[in-house]
Amino acid sequence: MADTKYIFVTGGVSSSLGKGIIAASLAKLLQARGFRATIQKLDPYINVDPGTLNPYEHGECYVTEDGAETDLDLGHYERFLNVNTSQANNVTTGRIYQSVIEKERRGEFLGKTVQVVPHITNEIKERIQILGKNGDYDIVITEIGGTVGDIESLPYIEAVRQLKWELGDDNALVIHLTLVPYLSAAGELKTKPTQHSVKTLMESGIKADILVCRTEHELSDDIRRKLAIFCNVRQEAVIQSIDARTIYDVPNMMLKEGLDTVTMKKLDLPTDSTPNLDRWNQFLKRHKNPKAEVHIGLIGKYVELQDSYKSILESFIHAGAENEVSVKVEYIHSEFINDSTIHNKISHLDGVLVAPGFGERGIEGKIDAVRYARENNLPFLGICLGMQMAVIEFARNVLKLKGANSSEMDPDTKHPVIDLMADQKEVTHKGGTMRLGAWDCELSKKSVIHDAYGKDMISERHRHRYEYNNKYKEQLENAGMLSTGINPETKLVEVIELADHPWFVGVQYHPEYKSTVASPHPLFVSFVKAALEYSEKRQSAKMAQK
């Protein structure tokens, strides 16, 4: 008998049904019952990782503590479980093939013909079991990306079939997430797409143990019975996943449907415990019953796709709940900010966040937004590129360094206040070669950043090539831009603040990657609190004028 139990989550009928949220919700329920659970994502695309993908293609690239550039679903896993993921939690087809080809080149297959079966499938099975064999987890949930029937997913489905057979019925199960659409013309829910999806899965040799049905309307007992009969599952294993007000409602919805109970029964796990969701539900109560409202402008160039800034948006939800505030995020495309539009776009806001990104498109709009926030004492948070834009704006408009820029945007600038790291200048491959993962940062006492964290030393995740140029540090500090966070190893500036501004912070790292339901990120909590104070002062001033 295997020591670790394995759960595989597949999807059918349509993409974007929420496999990641279902996987995270089930893991949360199992964790709340005392089991040590983790989740991994198998992505069928041939990129080695999402690091070189445009955010419009695949949403944000999420970075783990150990510096892995991964799928955004890993962000959901961490936010729900409050447990760090790693390189082992995200595997792509590109990484699988890269590994197998490297083994073949080293002669590890002893002259055998290298094939999808068994070599690719064996590599997939090995990657699936890495987390289970280290002794840290009782249950490993593996989400298979894509939709059943896709050519790209077939090796993964075959690997799951083999592994399920090898592990035995009590040690592995398959949850199939599918769509039960509502046809308004007929006025009824239709089960046929789900039946076909399950049939496609069975053609690959896999029988679904549990069906999770995404739907806009309640599933009747008749529909559940019909799905059970035609899809060869027990009726109690037909789980309804109806549209939710927030993703954070889903664990409670799955608890009510009995997803965790059915899972534990099928894996021969004890079911006598009761999940402890007290802290989770306290968060939900604060999230759903705010006492105030603030409006934050998110200045970026990928704002058409909200998933591009997924971790930032979720961090605002966590910080809002902590402050008992509803954070209304307004998406503002930086390309459309200029002298004639900036007042209308920003003047009504309670705070501005200039988002991370790469490339020169839209940076002048970001710089204009920074200047507005600086000159009008508007709470400001700049993340990664946003911090760099704050340095450039200050250098141009306060130090009067004409043409100050980042050498990323202007390689010939006379004042590269942001410059390429020395160890990056010889890099030719773009994937996985930035400053990535967790790095220490020492905070200055009596600073906004120190007040937010309440500690002298922090560790935060990075994803960038270009850095604050220390050659300009003395000039910038003398003019009022303080360096309040320094990496003790490299002496690079991680945090900047303005001496004469109530709340103006730029950070080179990505705080959004570490915000969870159980541990809202202190920097976002502090920023939202500052926005609330700004809003209250402005309202008081308006009342005084009446």
Side-chain angles (χ1 to χ4, degrees):
M1 175 179 171
D3 293 327
T4 304
K5 308 284 187 177
Y6 292 85
I7 299 169
F8 302 101
V9 181
T10 60
V13 181
S14 172
S15 59
S16 303
L17 293 181
K19 290 194 299 294
I21 299 301
I22 292 297
S25 298
L26 175 58
K28 184 67 201 175
L29 293 177
L30 294 171
Q31 183 190 61
R33 287 179 179 270
F35 296 105
R36 298 171 302 161
T38 189
I39 319 172
Q40 66 179 174
K41 174 76 179 288
L42 305 185
D43 268 314
Y45 52 75
I46 298 175
N47 302 68
V48 173
D49 58 46
T52 56
L53 284 172
N54 188 307
Y56 286 133
E57 288 281 327
H58 209 67
E60 76 171 2
C61 175
Y62 186 81
V63 177
T64 60
E65 282 285 292
D66 63 351
E69 294 177 285
T70 69
D71 184 79
L72 62 80
D73 273 334
L74 269 70
H76 290 310
Y77 305 161
E78 290 200 12
R79 287 188 283 271
F80 274 56
L81 298 181
N82 200 36
V83 174
N84 288 337
T85 55
S86 68
Q87 181 74 66
N89 291 78
N90 192 200
V91 180
T92 68
T93 295
R95 194 173 294 280
I96 294 290
Y97 273 83
Q98 185 182 57
S99 178
V100 170
I101 290 168
E102 286 173 355
K103 288 178 181 178
E104 185 272 335
R105 292 288 83 186
R106 291 194 298 266
E108 291 187 22
F109 299 125
L110 304 175
K112 293 283 188 182
T113 302
V114 180
Q115 298 174 287
V116 173
V117 181
H119 301 98
I120 297 298
T121 50
N122 283 349
E123 185 73 20
I124 293 170
K125 289 191 292 182
E126 186 179 312
R127 297 298 181 103
I128 288 172
Q129 294 178 92
I130 284 175
L131 291 167
K133 288 179 177 177
N134 65 15
D136 293 336
Y137 304 106
D138 304 309
I139 300 165
V140 175
I141 301 176
T142 301
E143 176 193 347
I144 312 293
T147 306
V148 168
D150 293 346
I151 292 173
E152 295 92 342
S153 301
L154 289 176
Y156 293 103
I157 298 299
E158 171 59 19
V160 168
R161 184 196 67 77
Q162 292 180 23
L163 201 51
K164 195 167 186 285
W165 179 80
E166 292 167 6
L167 292 168
D169 291 340
D170 291 341
N171 297 313
L173 66 80
V174 173
I175 297 173
H176 191 54
L177 177 63
T178 181
L179 178 68
V180 179
Y182 179 80
L183 294 187
S184 56
E188 60 182 353
L189 292 165
K190 290 295 183 181
T191 64
K192 193 63 71 178
T194 294
Q195 293 177 46
H196 281 298
S197 181
V198 170
K199 181 181 178 183
T200 301
L201 192 61
M202 292 182 74
E203 287 172 353
S204 297
I206 295 179
K207 173 188 173 296
D209 299 290
I210 299 172
L211 279 184
V212 176
C213 303
R214 286 284 284 117
T215 176
E216 297 175 352
H217 299 269
E218 297 279 344
L219 298 183
S220 66
D221 287 342
D222 286 342
I223 287 178
R224 290 179 192 249
R225 193 177 303 112
K226 183 178 181 180
L227 285 168
I229 291 170
F230 284 101
C231 298
N232 202 25
V233 299
R234 293 190 176 276
Q235 189 168 332
E236 66 175 12
V238 178
I239 305 296
Q240 169 185 284
S241 178
I242 202 163
D243 290 354
R245 175 178 164 186
T246 167
I247 60 172
Y248 299 109
D249 279 330
V250 179
N252 281 315
M253 294 165 66
M254 292 301 100
L255 176 64
K256 184 179 178 182
E257 284 288 307
L259 176 59
D260 55 331
T261 304
V262 173
T263 297
M264 289 186 294
K265 285 179 181 177
K266 288 187 174 293
L267 292 176
D268 196 25
L269 293 169
T271 59
D272 52 354
S273 60
T274 302
N276 181 358
L277 292 173
D278 291 349
R279 193 171 178 183
W280 185 271
N281 289 327
Q282 287 169 10
F283 155 76
L284 268 177
K285 184 178 180 181
R286 292 194 303 271
H287 173 48
K288 291 184 174 181
N289 299 282
K291 296 179 180 178
E293 182 176 288
V294 295
H295 292 257
I296 304 289
L298 194 159
I299 316 294
K301 61 179 181 179
Y302 307 116
V303 295
E304 295 91 343
L305 182 67
Q306 291 186 18
D307 276 357
S308 300
Y309 304 111
K310 193 63 178 175
S311 291
I312 291 174
L313 301 179
E314 299 305 317
S315 297
F316 275 130
I317 290 175
H318 307 154
E322 188 72 9
N323 284 288
E324 297 185 278
V325 169
S326 173
V327 180
K328 302 295 185 183
V329 177
E330 296 187 20
Y331 307 96
I332 303 172
H333 202 300
S334 57
E335 280 194 295
F336 303 139
I337 295 177
N338 52 50
D339 289 343
S340 62
T341 64
I342 192 164
H343 183 79
N344 287 337
K345 289 184 178 293
I346 295 181
S347 61
H348 63 288
L349 298 173
D350 304 309
V352 165
L353 184 149
V354 175
F358 295 92
E360 63 180 327
R361 183 170 65 89
I363 69 156
E364 293 302 326
K366 289 185 176 184
I367 291 170
D368 287 342
V370 173
R371 181 172 187 172
Y372 186 95
R374 178 177 61 82
E375 293 179 343
N376 291 277
N377 285 332
L378 185 64
F380 167 85
L381 175 59
I383 296 177
C384 199
L385 184 66
M387 174 265 208
Q388 296 174 0
M389 295 299 101
V391 175
I392 293 169
E393 188 279 326
F394 196 84
R396 287 182 184 180
N397 299 315
V398 178
L399 292 182
K400 305 300 181 183
L401 299 179
K402 188 175 181 181
N405 213 329
S406 166
S407 56
E408 177 186 9
M409 319 306 173
D410 181 5
D412 300 319
T413 177
K414 292 182 179 179
H415 298 290
V417 291
I418 304 296
D419 201 7
L420 191 63
M421 297 158 56
D423 60 354
Q424 289 284 331
K425 290 185 177 178
E426 302 303 319
V427 169
T428 55
H429 286 63
K430 298 298 184 186
T433 55
M434 291 183 276
R435 180 147 78 104
L436 292 164
W439 291 69
D440 289 337
C441 177
E442 189 173 358
L443 304 181
S444 303
K445 291 181 171 63
K446 296 183 179 179
S447 62
V448 170
I449 197 79
H450 192 279
D451 290 344
Y453 283 91
K455 56 177 72 172
D456 298 335
M457 187 72 76
I458 60 171
S459 175
E460 292 284 359
R461 301 178 195 177
H462 290 248
R463 184 176 183 252
H464 61 99
R465 295 184 196 282
Y466 292 80
E467 298 276 1
Y468 178 108
N469 190 342
N470 279 340
K471 292 177 182 178
Y472 292 87
K473 183 179 176 184
E474 187 176 351
Q475 282 180 266
L476 289 163
E477 290 202 315
N478 288 340
M481 176 167 275
L482 308 179
S483 304
T484 54
I486 306 290
N487 179 275
E489 180 184 342
T490 64
K491 304 305 178 185
L492 290 167
V493 174
E494 301 273 4
V495 185
I496 57 95
E497 298 180 16
L498 292 184
D500 57 353
H501 193 289
W503 209 101
F504 187 106
V505 176
V507 294
Q508 184 60 78
Y509 52 81
H510 289 261
E512 70 272 20
Y513 292 148
K514 294 185 74 167
S515 186
T516 71
V517 169
S519 302
H521 197 283
L523 190 55
F524 276 88
V525 172
S526 179
F527 179 45
V528 170
K529 183 180 179 182
L532 177 61
E533 291 171 354
Y534 180 89
S535 174
E536 289 172 344
K537 285 180 182 177
R538 184 160 58 177
Q539 289 174 13
S540 296
K542 285 182 179 178
M543 293 294 291
Q545 291 174 356
K546 289 184 179 180

